[in-house]
């Protein structure tokens, strides 16, 4: 192997019983892509890393300074735990300051659009792409102020209440009644992450479109399991690669 890619993720967002399976699955998946190109791949929990400065930036992993070995990094940019999010920023900025090769620029460049659903929707709207109505909840005890606006702007429901910056379908609630909406907003107000409310659209699945150098390459259509409303693979959904992206290719190019 001529290189190593290290993916750093927030392990506190996962059930401890699931971490080994997650790390094994993601390592196997990405090694298949990395090995033919001369790279090895590994995943490391952010909690196992200690950023520090002893005359120079260092990033210790079980006593070993990762910065002493040439490699490239992917650093997750969001966590449901405030301290976890701060830890990711410290790791990212340590790598950035040390001049390490960062394959994502989530903290300093438009990669944040991958995570921040509100920012992505706002950006898409500014370039003329149709978007779903989206309302961000105020933080903490102020969250219920948005309830009348939700009813006025989004209609009587049903709704989806989802984290603004998390992924994999974590913390996503389907809301069918006024009382459920108020309860969901109350729960979101106790969370460490921001939440959005959107209308629930009838659908058979959702689509991920992949671009490289501004060119649409392929798409992945994901479908919920029977009786479900989440199409995420981590939530029991299924997926197939297809050419459905031709329906939205122009929109995707404009966003990119």
């Amino acid at each position: 192997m001529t290189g190593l890619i290290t993916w750093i993720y927030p392990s506190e967002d996962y059930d401890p019983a699931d971490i080994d399976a997650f790390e094994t699955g993601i390592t196997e998946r990405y090694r298949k892509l990395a090995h033919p190109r001369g790279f090895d791949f590994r995943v490391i929990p952010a909690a196992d890393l200690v950023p520090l400065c002893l005359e120079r930036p260092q990033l210790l992993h079980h006593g070993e300074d990762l910065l002493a070995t040439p490699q490239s990094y992917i650093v997750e940019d969001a966590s449901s735990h405030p301290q976890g999010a701060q830890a990711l920023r410290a790791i990212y900025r340590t790598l950035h300051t040390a001049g390490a090769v960062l394959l994502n620029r989530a903290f300093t460049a438009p990669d944040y659009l991958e995570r921040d659903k509100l920012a992505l929707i706002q950006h898409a709207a500014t370039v003329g792409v149709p978007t779903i109505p989206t309302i961000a909840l105020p933080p903490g005890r102020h969250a219920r102020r948005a309830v009348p606006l939700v009813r006025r702007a989004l209609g009587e429901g049903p709704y989806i209440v989802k984290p603004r910056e998390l992924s994999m379908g974590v913390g996503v609630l389907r809301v069918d009644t006024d009382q459920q909406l108020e309860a969901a907003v109350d729960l979101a107000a106790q969370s460490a992450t921001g939440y959005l409310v959107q209308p629930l659209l009838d659908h058979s699945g959702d689509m991920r479109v992949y671009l490289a150098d501004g060119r649409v390459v392929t798409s992945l259509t994901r479908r919920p399991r029977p009786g479900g409303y989440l199409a995420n693979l981590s939530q029991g959904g299924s997926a197939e690669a297809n050419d459905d992206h031709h329906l939205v290719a122009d929109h995707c190019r404009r966003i990119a």
Side-chain angles (χ1 to χ4, degrees):
M1 296 298 165
T2 59
L4 173 63
I5 301 171
T6 298
W7 186 333
I8 299 169
Y9 79 101
S11 56
E12 63 273 8
D13 286 358
Y14 294 81
D15 186 324
D18 297 334
I19 285 179
D20 287 344
F22 167 76
E23 292 187 355
T24 299
I26 201 169
T27 299
E28 290 177 353
R29 186 185 314 160
Y30 283 96
R31 273 183 174 165
K32 289 178 182 178
L33 300 172
H35 281 182
R37 294 161 176 80
F39 288 90
D40 197 6
F41 176 89
R42 66 175 175 177
V43 59
I44 293 178
D48 287 355
L49 299 174
V50 180
L52 67 155
C53 185
L54 299 177
E55 297 184 350
R56 62 177 177 82
Q58 298 181 42
L59 186 62
L60 298 187
H61 178 239
H62 301 314
E64 172 196 356
D65 181 14
L66 297 186
L67 295 172
T69 304
Q71 56 193 291
S72 52
Y73 300 88
I74 301 169
V75 185
E76 293 283 349
D77 68 332
S79 171
S80 60
H81 295 260
Q83 288 190 351
Q86 290 292 328
L88 290 171
R89 292 186 183 94
I91 291 166
Y92 184 95
R93 288 163 183 162
T94 298
L95 294 169
H96 181 70
T97 302
V101 177
L102 287 156
L103 300 182
N104 68 320
R105 299 281 175 172
F107 293 103
T108 58
D111 293 45
Y112 72 86
L113 292 174
E114 178 186 356
R115 290 284 189 184
D116 190 333
K117 301 174 184 70
L118 177 64
L120 175 58
I121 288 168
Q122 291 172 331
H123 171 67
T126 64
V127 295
V129 173
T131 57
I132 188 170
T134 302
I135 296 173
L137 295 178
R141 65 178 184 270
H142 307 293
R144 274 217 183 193
R145 294 180 180 175
V147 171
L149 176 59
V150 168
R151 292 172 177 149
R152 186 167 65 249
L154 307 186
E156 297 182 355
Y159 313 105
I160 285 288
V161 180
K162 64 173 67 171
R164 201 184 91 218
E165 293 195 45
L166 296 184
S167 58
M168 301 195 306
V170 173
V172 178
L173 300 172
R174 173 176 174 149
V175 173
D176 292 302
T177 68
D178 278 352
Q179 284 189 331
Q180 288 177 358
L181 174 62
E182 292 173 355
V185 169
D186 290 342
L187 290 172
Q190 310 305 314
S191 172
T193 189
Y195 265 76
L196 305 173
V197 184
Q198 297 173 323
L200 175 65
L201 301 182
D202 290 332
H203 69 290
S204 60
D206 64 34
M207 189 194 328
R208 285 194 173 184
V209 180
Y210 297 86
L211 294 91
D213 295 327
R215 183 173 63 89
V216 177
V217 178
T218 188
S219 61
L220 189 71
T221 296
R222 307 183 302 176
R223 307 188 191 282
R225 62 190 179 193
Y229 61 92
L230 296 175
N232 308 75
L233 299 183
S234 57
Q235 302 294 337
S238 60
E240 62 177 19
N242 53 45
D243 294 325
D244 287 350
H245 53 265
H246 73 273
L247 300 169
V248 294
D250 181 60
H251 292 335
C252 294
R253 284 190 290 267
R254 290 162 75 180
I255 291 170

